[in-house]
Amino acid sequence: MTLKDYLDQNKLSLKAFGDRCGVSAPTVLRARDGINIPSRRTLRAIVDATNGAVSIQDLVRVDHDTDVAQQK
């Protein structure tokens, strides 16, 4: 599930979800929109806050040919 879908389904604002994760609303926005690759801490916080509904794979794509992480 995408982070956007999770936020929409649960009617959560960026700020409310950021508070739940312990990160800022702009950090949630950047993760939601794929603007940058979240830190490991932020990735784990999002997965934990969504009880796994949003996975690391939902947030980051890894090119297995080069093992390079890319934003989704």
Side-chain angles (χ1 to χ4, degrees), residues 6-22:
Y6 181 86
L7 296 173
D8 290 345
Q9 283 183 7
N10 291 280
K11 297 178 175 53
L12 289 168
S13 68
L14 296 174
K15 180 172 180 351
F17 188 72
D19 290 346
R20 184 182 291 184
C21 293

Side-chain angles (χ1 to χ4, degrees), residues 28-50:
V28 176
L29 174 70
R30 288 189 297 271
R32 184 196 69 185
D33 293 349
I35 294 169
N36 64 4
I37 299 171
S39 69
R40 288 181 185 167
R41 179 189 162 291
T42 299
L43 289 170
R44 176 55 44 208
I46 291 170
V47 172
D48 290 348
T50 64

